[in-house]
Amino acid sequence: MKRILVPTDFSEEAHHAYEVAVSIARKAGAGIKLLHVVEGVTSYSPSFSATGDVITPNNMQHVYVLQLMEAMKAQMNQFIESVDHEGVGIVQEVDADRPISKIRRTIKEDDVDLVVMGSKGSSGFEEFLIGSNTEKVVRTADCPVLTVKHRHPNFDVQEIVLASDFKREVRHAMERFKDFQALFGARLHLVYINTPGAFESSGNLYTKLDDTAKKYGLQNYSVNVYNDVIEEDGILHFATDIRADLIMMATHGRTGLAHLLSGSIAEDLVNHTTIPVLTFPLK
């Protein structure tokens, strides 16, 4: 892990994410990029007419945009210094764009290994209508995304829940999950949530989990079958029972109608749990 991206809106939750990112960067020897995206304004860039004359936008709008960007850069400088980041390289960027589009481009262009984001969470009608920017990043990012809600000044992960159906596609995420476990020297708890709608015998499930652990050469782990009504509740209850520091999940990253119809357990967890969640896209 070399590059960590921390999108920030300067909120309390974003500050929590920045603290966690610094802790991870110190352990991994990684650098951090802090990104603030100003939405709803257009960056000033002069164009030229066919005769070579400079065409500028409205002067007042130009002045407003420049002043706004300078104010955001000053706020970014204060934000950087709000966390002790000694020994961690920090770069910053302030841009005017659509936040999700800018974050996705930055992930690709900067070859980002991990995104760390704060999340307020959402529920009810608000969640149905818009969700959150963090949820959208979880759904569409091409790299792992760690979501944080509360303050963790010394982010120390000892107990990790890895929740999955442990089908073949999980192999795409397993090496990343192992790397994160190794980074902290944590214990990994594989868990399958057995629900009434998709019930399997415990014996078969334990065999599947044992086979998965052996196949991927897992170390320092436990295998668990947990019964609950729905998967999301089962994951949350199991994580609470073992006092987990982190939940890890793979997500299919569905968008549009497929997402509306099927939803996403990973995105629901990001919205509803207070435990940090690391998601990895299966694409």
Side-chain angles (χ1 to χ4, degrees), residues 13 33 56 92 115 148 195 206-207 213 276 282:
E13 291 80 8
K33 181 171 190 175
T56 62
Q92 61 168 292
V115 176
V148 179
T195 63
Y206 276 112
T207 298
L282 296 177

Side-chain angles (χ1 to χ4, degrees), residues 122-132 135 267-268 271-272:
S122 56
S123 60
F125 195 55
E126 177 192 20
E127 178 183 3
F128 178 76
L129 287 176
I130 59 172
S132 65
E135 179 188 344
E267 292 162 36
D268 287 343
N271 271 331
H272 301 144

Side-chain angles (χ1 to χ4, degrees), residues 12-270:
E12 183 179 5
E13 291 80 8
H15 188 271
H16 299 335
Y18 177 31
E19 279 189 317
V20 167
V22 168
S23 292
I24 296 172
R26 283 201 178 102
K27 286 182 177 293
I32 293 175
K33 181 171 190 175
L34 287 169
L35 173 66
H36 178 70
V37 183
V38 181
E39 190 173 16
V41 300
T42 303
S43 303
Y44 170 73
S45 55
S47 57
F48 299 87
S49 69
T51 60
D53 296 326
V54 177
I55 303 173
T56 62
N58 178 279
N59 285 337
M60 289 300 293
Q61 180 186 6
H62 174 212
V63 171
Y64 167 74
V65 171
L66 287 178
Q67 290 178 338
L68 178 61
M69 297 297 284
E70 288 303 313
M72 293 300 98
K73 289 176 182 178
Q75 192 166 355
M76 177 69 90
N77 289 330
Q78 294 177 356
F79 186 80
I80 290 173
E81 297 305 320
S82 68
V83 173
D84 176 13
H85 58 274
E86 184 178 358
V88 177
I90 308 286
V91 297
Q92 61 168 292
E93 181 178 0
V94 176
D95 197 5
D97 204 336
R98 293 176 57 214
I100 302 303
S101 298
K102 177 63 180 180
I103 290 169
R104 292 187 65 188
R105 283 201 312 275
T106 302
I107 290 170
K108 183 176 181 180
E109 293 169 0
D110 291 10
D111 196 20
V112 170
D113 299 300
L114 174 69
V115 176
V116 183
M117 292 189 72
S119 174
K120 294 181 175 68
S122 56
S123 60
F125 195 55
E126 177 192 20
E127 178 183 3
F128 178 76
L129 287 176
I130 59 172
S132 65
N133 280 333
T134 303
E135 179 188 344
K136 293 173 187 175
V137 174
V138 167
R139 191 188 316 153
T140 61
D142 294 324
C143 72
V145 179
L146 176 63
T147 57
V148 179
K149 285 185 181 174
H150 297 300
R151 188 167 183 242
H152 303 271
N154 297 297
F155 189 57
D156 184 26
V157 176
Q158 296 298 317
E159 308 293 336
I160 298 176
V161 171
L162 174 54
S164 175
D165 56 10
F166 299 101
K167 294 180 179 177
R168 290 179 58 190
E169 57 263 32
V170 77
R171 70 185 186 276
H172 299 294
M174 193 59 77
E175 290 304 317
R176 294 289 188 98
F177 290 151
K178 286 171 61 178
D179 289 344
F180 215 84
Q181 177 195 9
L183 183 66
F184 289 94
R187 183 164 177 78
L188 185 63
H189 302 271
L190 280 66
V191 62
Y192 183 101
I193 307 302
N194 210 10
T195 63
F199 184 81
E200 291 189 49
S201 73
S202 295
N204 289 341
L205 291 173
Y206 276 112
T207 298
K208 179 190 290 188
L209 293 172
D210 282 326
D211 289 346
T212 297
K214 293 173 182 175
K215 180 178 180 179
Y216 297 107
L218 299 183
Q219 303 290 327
N220 190 19
Y221 68 91
S222 71
V223 295
N224 306 270
V225 175
Y226 196 92
N227 298 317
D228 215 315
V229 178
I230 60 175
E231 289 93 338
E232 180 195 340
D233 286 350
I235 296 168
L236 291 176
H237 294 155
F238 177 76
T240 301
D241 286 350
I242 70 163
R243 298 183 180 181
D245 304 300
L246 177 69
I247 298 171
M248 298 196 303
M249 288 193 67
T251 175
H252 289 276
R254 295 184 179 94
T255 58
L257 183 61
H259 172 260
L260 182 63
L261 293 175
S262 67
S264 167
I265 296 172
E267 292 162 36
D268 287 343
L269 283 172
V270 166

